[in-house]
Amino acid sequence: MNRTDRLYALVEELRAVAPRPRSATWLAARFEVSTRTIERDISALQQAGTPVWAEPGRTGGYCLDRSRTLPPVNFSPDEAVAVAVALHGAVGTPFHAAGRTALRKLLAAMRDDDAAAAQDLVSRVHLVGADPDAPVVPPLLTDAVSARRVLRIRYTDRDGRSTTRDVEPVGYVGSTTGWYLLGWCRLRDGLRAFRLDRVDRVTATAETAPRRTVHPGDVQVPEGDLRTLTFL
């Protein structure tokens, strides 16, 4: 078990017995590591904001504040397959890789029988036609947009002209013809939408971009009016 998986498993173990404690010795035996490793793992969880604390005494150990953490999400097999079908539409978007990772986490959190039922159901869902060719969006670009890091890109416009630009990433625009990086172009001193399949090279700088408020009416794209995505 790697450290990331162990940290997740530690939280789940402490959640399962909360508010009772687990000793470092017990946890070390459970995860087949040293008590020193458990102590370092607990320290890492605390520094990340996980509500874990040490309870002193002969019967003490580490406790988790269950009220401040979320329990595992219980998806039904139908719900898991619905997510898989929805994520199929994310091919070619900046969120395709993250979606696949999220789906794997979802399946790992499900009960074994529900996960098996979901695997059976998804094997009975069939699609017609090949997936369209989609640009490979560099993880560097998607990570930089999330972190608001200024990007230096080489971009080829519709007329085949290439330019190198520093861009303050604002977000994305999805349309019927493809996905665009939405950003403040310092070369043009204005808001621009860059087609992702025309971004030839990208470098994330150490500079944090300022926050910019963008209204859908500020962005001009030929496909139609913009709508802002929400969770509702």
Side-chain angles (χ1 to χ4, degrees):
M1 178 182 294
N2 62 42
R3 190 176 189 232
T4 300
D5 291 339
R6 188 174 65 249
L7 291 174
Y8 176 81
L10 268 172
V11 172
E12 293 308 309
E13 178 62 43
L14 294 175
R15 188 204 311 279
V17 298
R20 291 178 291 123
R22 286 290 196 203
S23 69
T25 302
W26 191 97
L27 292 169
R30 165 69 177 81
F31 294 105
E32 300 179 343
V33 294
S34 68
T35 56
R36 179 60 180 158
T37 296
I38 292 296
E39 290 167 356
R40 286 197 297 263
D41 287 349
I42 293 294
S43 177
L45 289 170
Q46 291 172 331
Q47 291 175 33
T50 306
V52 179
W53 71 92
E55 188 173 288
R58 185 176 60 84
T59 60
Y62 295 110
C63 303
L64 177 73
D65 186 350
R66 196 172 188 175
S67 67
R68 292 177 55 197
T69 63
L70 290 173
V73 179
N74 293 319
F75 275 71
S76 70
D78 284 353
E79 289 171 333
V81 174
V83 173
V85 172
L87 287 175
H88 184 76
V91 174
T93 77
F95 307 101
H96 178 55
R100 290 174 62 88
T101 301
L103 184 58
R104 286 196 296 269
K105 289 180 180 178
L106 185 156
L107 290 171
M110 292 174 66
R111 296 184 320 190
D112 290 345
D113 55 342
D114 282 344
Q119 293 283 6
D120 175 70
L121 179 57
V122 81
S123 71
R124 292 183 276 126
V125 176
H126 308 287
L127 304 171
V128 177
D131 291 335
D133 292 334
V136 178
V137 181
L140 175 66
L141 188 148
T142 56
D143 292 345
V145 173
S146 297
R148 295 190 5 255
R149 296 293 185 188
V150 175
L151 294 166
R152 181 163 296 133
I153 67 172
R154 188 176 70 184
Y155 185 71
T156 302
D157 65 18
R158 68 179 66 184
D159 297 320
R161 293 187 297 265
S162 293
T163 52
T164 299
R165 311 166 182 233
D166 284 357
V167 177
E168 300 172 12
V170 173
Y172 302 100
V173 175
S175 77
T176 57
T177 59
W179 277 76
Y180 298 77
L181 168 68
L182 182 63
W184 185 270
C185 177
R186 292 181 175 176
L187 179 66
R188 305 301 186 208
D189 194 28
L191 192 66
R192 294 291 187 272
F194 303 94
R195 276 190 59 135
L196 290 177
D197 57 356
R198 293 180 184 157
V199 176
D200 302 321
R201 185 180 302 162
V202 58
T203 302
T205 72
E207 182 184 355
T208 300
R211 291 190 180 275
R212 293 184 181 273
T213 301
V214 177
H215 303 286
D218 298 334
V219 185
Q220 301 297 320
V221 291
E223 286 82 2
D225 296 332
L226 263 66
R227 303 183 309 277
T228 300
L229 182 67
T230 69
F231 283 115
L232 301 178

